[in-house]
Amino acid sequence: MNKALRETVIAGNWKMNKTRPEAALLIEELKNTAAGAGCEVVICVPYTDLETAVSLTKGTGIKVGAENCHFKDSGAYTGEISALMLAEMGVEYVVIGHSERRQYFAETDLTVNRRTKAALNAGLKPIVCVGEMLAEREDLITEDVVELQTTAALTGISAKDAENIIIAYEPVWAIGTGKTATDEQAEEVCAFIRKVVENKYGKDIAEGMTIQYGGSMNPKNAAGLLAKENIDGGLIGGASLNASDFGIIIKAASGGL
Ligand code: PGA
């Protein structure tokens, strides 16, 4: 295993936060922090902030992502946004299958797979989220759950396309709760996900794939998590809404601190 083979990606997931003026303010604050970062920096923002984010991040090195996309290119799907629409406006990443979408918006492994394919077809880089609920961890079925979710998300996707996928391991019990997985717990599951990817695509693809941890990552715990062999970055909710907190995590990922 060689961590250096993989790109470290620190992605903010703003969720349903920030009006356009608020987004502009935060991006202005982030510009300095992100300058000279030794890792890829992405902000995944609400649809209404995408245009602001794309225009204000030009030339800064910060990349922009959406938080979801539909699996059709166009059609009678009131309220939906397609991957093509996102790509056309300069968006480069998209979060797929976040646990909040699975829990509150009837997202299933099947729709996660379809959205992932649509994102890849449009040239976007999907950040595919997997992770167990607390009861599943307590029942000792974390690996089964994560394997099922990962395998389902990757169904019918070629090795070539898989090179553009990021997987985010986000234990549901750690999201927005302040309860982080320990460095060891996170490492163990991220390593397991890499094994699942290796079984499907072989060692080269698995060793090259960015696998993030997400769930209450913050300035205090980031360095420990990011130092782990199989953790190649983070998907960060709460702490990405504050430029100085997000900046500290970026520094930790860049080998700083
Ligand atoms: P959190 O969210 O950092 O606020 O726990 C992470 C996520 O949901 O992606």
Side-chain angles (χ1 to χ4, degrees), residues 15 27 36 53 61 70 73 87 89 97 142-143 181 187 195 199 221:
K15 310 194 179 187
I27 292 165
H70 196 256
D73 291 346
M89 67 187 296
T142 295
E143 290 193 347
E187 164 67 10
K195 264 265 157 288
N199 289 342
N221 60 30

Side-chain angles (χ1 to χ4, degrees), residues 21 28 45 72 93 162 193 216:
E28 283 307 324
V45 307
K72 292 286 178 115
Y93 288 81
I193 292 170
S216 299

Side-chain angles (χ1 to χ4, degrees), residues 11-15 95 98-100 129 168 170-172 174-179 213-218 234-241:
N13 172 17
W14 289 7
K15 310 194 179 187
V95 179
H98 190 278
S99 65
E100 285 149 16
C129 302
E170 297 210 309
V172 180
I175 295 177
T177 57
K179 275 191 210 146
Y213 168 78
S216 299
M217 191 184 270
N218 62 42
L235 184 58
I236 296 122
S240 73
L241 297 173

Side-chain angles (χ1 to χ4, degrees), residues 218-230:
N218 62 42
K220 289 210 176 77
N221 60 30
L225 287 160
L226 294 167
K228 288 291 179 191
E229 175 71 29
N230 285 287

